[in-house]
């Protein structure tokens, strides 16, 4: 990655754009504020404020590095989770092959910070974006982009946009759909073969493999997910036998969200040898922060605890601003601040006068735009002015609500700030 671009993030000035940061920090650079090592609770931070655990981030990065190496998987974590180049850099430093992204804007962000390998998990048919990709490939011989195709029409549109302007072909993988009613992807092996034939007929594209997303398998369970992944591996073998990978030095076989990467590891390990080396590429992204809800429930490490455990790195701090009855309280964070598409936040700890205690008897029952609704029992120790720490579900819809996120050590010291680009 481009170190100078990352370094410029520390030169950005702190001001009103960034929620939760100390008002008296206005005008400081992010680097200057980080160097002050302020305490989250006494250093002037205002609520609500989303934080990341320094220790849990590092733990999760190391754990997935170890896991993918153990299972001989290349790793391109999905960057749409965080859209944070600083975290992309750390993922690459921890052994990632590249970064997965979903739409052209995200690719532009990654390229602005020098990511050299990008897997675009979508069919790209935007002519302006394709012309930009072609220019990037022409300007940087070391840049590699791989993207989906899932239709003959898509191949035709890509070729029309690239023809006459592409110095290097764009690498593509045929996306195999996860079943009827699933999301994108060609539905049958025969349709995949027609797409491969279409790619072979144009000079602007190069077929390099197959890919899919097992998280979209209808009524997903271990048996159905493994069956789909075996279909994906069989498709790679079928297209290889038909000679469709003659123009590439390695064959990409890619899958893997954050709920079934153990099944991906198992099925890919049993894949047959092909005519060329196989890049077995996993794309899980939510691991970097994990969560306290959806992925805590679904993580494969629940099924293979001997391989380790991810740790939730997010905590949203809000302040109790109203305690109208003994059974109810309100904090000053809401839908603008917290993920709520999969689960409501979880009350975890209460911070008062430098001490913390468990949020016993406190339950989040709803979110307004700027309020958290809290139900409280008799055992709840909660007063107006207390800070309440909330666990979140679904990292992808937590990051996108915050542009600059403090990274906090267990002792409350803020040691860094992570910039997002949504």
């Amino acid at each position: 990655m481009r170190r100078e671009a990352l370094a410029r993030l520390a030169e950005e000035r702190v001001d009103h754009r960034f929620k939760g940061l100390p008002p008296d920090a206005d005008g400081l650079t992010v680097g200057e504020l980080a160097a002050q090592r302020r305490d989250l609770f006494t250093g002037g931070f205002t609520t609500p404020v989303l934080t990341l655990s320094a220790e849990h981030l590092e733990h999760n990065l190391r754990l997935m590095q170890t896991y993918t190496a153990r299972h001989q998987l290349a790793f391109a974590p999905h960057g749409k989770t965080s859209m944070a180049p600083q975290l992309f850099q750390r993922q690459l430093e921890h052994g990632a092959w590249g970064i997965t992204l979903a739409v052209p804007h995200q690719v532009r962000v990654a390229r602005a910070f020098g990511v050299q390998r990008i897997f675009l998990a979508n069919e790209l048919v935007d002519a302006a974006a394709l012309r930009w990709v072609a220019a990037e490939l022409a300007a940087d011989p070391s840049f590699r982009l791989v993207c989906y195709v899932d239709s003959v029409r898509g191949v035709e549109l890509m070729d029309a946009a690239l023809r006459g302007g592409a110095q290097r072909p764009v690498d593509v993988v045929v996306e195999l759909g996860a079943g009827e009613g699933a999301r994108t992807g060609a539905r049958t092996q025969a349709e995949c073969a027609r797409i491969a034939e279409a790619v072979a007929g144009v000079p602007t594209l190069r077929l390099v493999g197959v890919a899919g997303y097992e998280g979209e398998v209808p009524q997903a369970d271990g048996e159905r997910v493994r069956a789909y992944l075996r279909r994906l591996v069989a498709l790679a073998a079928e297209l290889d036998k038909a000679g469709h990978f003659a123009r590439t030095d390695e064959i990409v076989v890619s899958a893997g969200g954050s709920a079934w990467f153990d099944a991906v590891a198992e099925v890919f390990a049993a894949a047959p040898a092909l005519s060329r080396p196989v890049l077995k590429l996993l794309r899980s992204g939510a691991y970097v922060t994990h969560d306290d809800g959806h992925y805590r429930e679904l993580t494969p490490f629940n099924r293979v605890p001997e391989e380790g455990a991810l740790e939730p790195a997010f905590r949203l701090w809000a302040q109790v601003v109203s305690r109208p009855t003994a059974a109810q309280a309100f904090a000053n964070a809401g839908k603008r601040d917290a993920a709520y598409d999969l689960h409501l936040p979880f009350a975890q700890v209460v911070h008062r006068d430098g001490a913390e205690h468990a949020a016993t008897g406190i339950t989040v029952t709803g979110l307004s735009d700027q309020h958290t609704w809290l139900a409280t029992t008799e055992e709840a120790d909660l007063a107006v002015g207390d800070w309440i720490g909330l666990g979140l579900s679904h990292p992808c819809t937590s990051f996108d609500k915050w542009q600059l996120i403090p990274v906090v050590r267990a002792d409350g010291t803020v040691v860094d700030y992570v910039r997002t680009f949504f």
Side-chain angles (χ1 to χ4, degrees):
M1 292 184 68
R2 297 188 180 116
R3 298 281 182 178
E4 66 279 9
L6 288 168
R8 282 198 295 272
L9 292 177
E11 299 169 2
E12 192 167 14
R13 295 288 173 180
V14 174
D15 58 25
H16 60 276
R17 292 171 296 161
F18 304 122
K19 297 191 292 184
L21 298 192
D24 68 349
D26 274 17
L28 296 177
T29 67
V30 173
E32 289 168 344
L33 179 57
Q36 291 181 355
R37 296 294 193 264
R38 296 197 185 197
D39 182 87
L40 179 67
F41 305 104
T42 62
F45 291 87
T46 63
T47 56
V49 57
L50 182 68
T51 64
L52 288 166
S53 162
E55 294 86 356
H56 290 186
L57 276 176
E58 181 62 23
H59 169 85
N60 294 341
L61 290 162
R62 289 184 181 276
L63 180 61
M64 285 304 289
Q65 179 181 20
T66 300
Y67 181 88
T68 53
R70 180 185 301 126
H71 292 280
Q72 298 180 307
L73 296 167
F75 192 28
H78 212 318
K80 58 99 176 171
T81 296
S82 71
M83 285 309 297
Q86 292 150 288
L87 295 184
F88 295 172
Q89 173 67 15
R90 293 184 66 179
Q91 289 170 314
L92 293 167
E93 289 172 348
H94 283 80
W97 172 90
I99 299 295
T100 296
L101 296 162
V103 294
H105 159 71
Q106 295 171 357
V107 177
R108 291 187 62 201
V109 171
R111 284 300 291 159
F113 289 87
V115 176
Q116 290 296 92
R117 291 174 178 162
I118 293 173
F119 188 98
L120 181 60
N122 246 332
E123 185 168 67
L124 180 58
V125 293
D126 185 306
L130 283 163
R131 290 192 292 270
W132 176 83
V133 165
E136 287 290 297
L137 290 169
D140 185 354
S142 63
F143 172 46
R144 185 178 187 193
L145 179 136
V146 179
C147 77
Y148 282 179
V149 287
D150 81 344
S151 64
V152 172
R153 172 65 172 162
V155 171
E156 293 169 350
L157 289 171
M158 293 181 77
D159 178 56
L162 293 167
R163 194 173 285 269
Q167 296 182 25
R168 295 164 55 193
V170 173
D171 287 345
V172 296
V173 290
V174 175
E175 183 194 6
L176 176 66
E180 288 304 320
R183 202 161 61 190
T184 54
R187 294 308 197 240
T188 66
Q189 310 284 107
E191 191 176 354
C192 289
R194 286 193 291 273
I195 295 167
E197 291 285 354
V199 173
V202 299
T204 55
L205 305 177
R206 179 176 70 158
L207 188 66
V208 299
V210 300
Y213 175 46
E214 75 292 339
E216 280 291 311
V217 170
Q219 299 176 312
D221 59 22
E223 181 179 347
R224 290 185 178 93
V225 166
R226 286 173 176 82
Y228 165 70
L229 291 167
R230 286 191 287 270
R231 282 183 61 211
L232 184 66
V233 169
L235 175 63
E238 178 183 314
L239 296 181
D240 187 36
K241 184 177 180 180
H244 286 297
F245 300 130
R247 297 166 63 197
T248 184
D249 294 329
E250 67 178 3
I251 298 170
V252 177
V253 180
S254 179
S258 296
W260 294 103
F261 54 73
D262 58 332
V264 174
E266 177 187 323
V267 173
F268 281 13
L274 301 181
S275 66
R276 287 157 175 75
V278 177
L279 183 74
K280 300 173 182 178
L281 191 63
L282 183 71
R283 306 192 308 272
S284 312
Y287 81 98
V288 69
T289 59
H290 197 45
D291 71 9
D292 284 291
H294 183 70
Y295 288 110
R296 179 189 283 272
E297 297 168 1
L298 296 183
T299 176
F301 288 115
N302 291 339
R303 296 186 289 271
V304 287
E306 67 277 7
E307 299 225 44
L310 294 167
E311 297 174 347
F314 274 129
R315 179 162 286 173
L316 176 64
W317 289 97
Q319 197 164 22
V320 178
V321 293
S322 181
R323 189 84 161 91
T325 72
Q328 196 173 41
F330 294 87
N332 65 345
K335 292 179 180 178
R336 307 278 173 85
D337 313 300
Y340 59 91
D341 55 325
L342 296 177
H343 294 288
L344 289 171
F346 307 90
Q348 294 180 323
V349 295
V350 175
H351 187 96
R352 180 190 304 154
D353 298 331
E356 283 185 6
H357 61 264
T360 305
I362 304 171
T363 304
V364 177
T365 59
L367 292 176
S368 300
D369 285 352
Q370 303 290 182
H371 287 93
T372 303
W373 293 61
L374 301 168
T376 56
T377 66
E378 290 182 359
E379 57 187 342
D381 182 8
L382 191 66
V384 170
D386 289 348
W387 284 41
I388 184 165
L390 304 172
L392 301 178
S393 184
H394 201 184
C396 302
T397 52
S398 299
F399 273 108
D400 66 358
K401 294 171 176 59
W402 296 83
Q403 290 182 288
L404 197 60
I405 306 173
V407 179
V408 185
R409 287 182 183 155
D411 65 2
T413 304
V414 179
V415 296
D416 201 0
Y417 297 83
V418 168
R419 184 72 155 91
T420 66
F421 293 85
F422 285 94

